[in-house]
Amino acid sequence: AGDPVACGIVGEAAGELADAAAAAARALDLGPAFPVALAGGLLAGNTSYRDRFRRALAARGLSADPLAVVREPAEGAVRIALGALTPA
């Protein structure tokens, strides 16, 4: 339901995001299933958009597994940086 033009714009945006994720996955040689962390108000607060993104990935033969919604992306960056400083 909803405005068909707006739905088309949202669908196209989800497809563009899936294209970007696919390009990153290829560059990193992650294979067809790879972890994805989504951040930002639209992605964190809109289940419908996240579903469109997942479907767009699936249409490209890919899947976000696992898919995590990250409320504060800087926290993840800090954790990675701290992990790099901790001796193994």
Side-chain angles (χ1 to χ4, degrees):
D3 181 318
V5 173
C7 288
I9 291 168
V10 171
E12 187 175 320
E16 292 290 330
L17 182 60
D19 285 341
R26 278 192 306 275
L28 296 171
D29 197 27
L30 296 178
F34 49 89
V36 173
L38 299 175
L42 176 62
L43 294 164
N46 192 311
T47 304
S48 175
Y49 189 75
R50 288 194 305 266
D51 290 343
R52 285 176 182 256
F53 169 68
R54 278 186 181 262
R55 287 193 303 272
L57 277 179
R60 290 154 178 78
L62 303 170
S63 67
D65 185 29
L67 179 98
V69 175
V70 179
R71 299 288 174 197
E72 179 52 60
E75 180 182 340
V78 169
R79 287 179 189 223
I80 291 170
L82 288 174
L85 294 174
T86 305

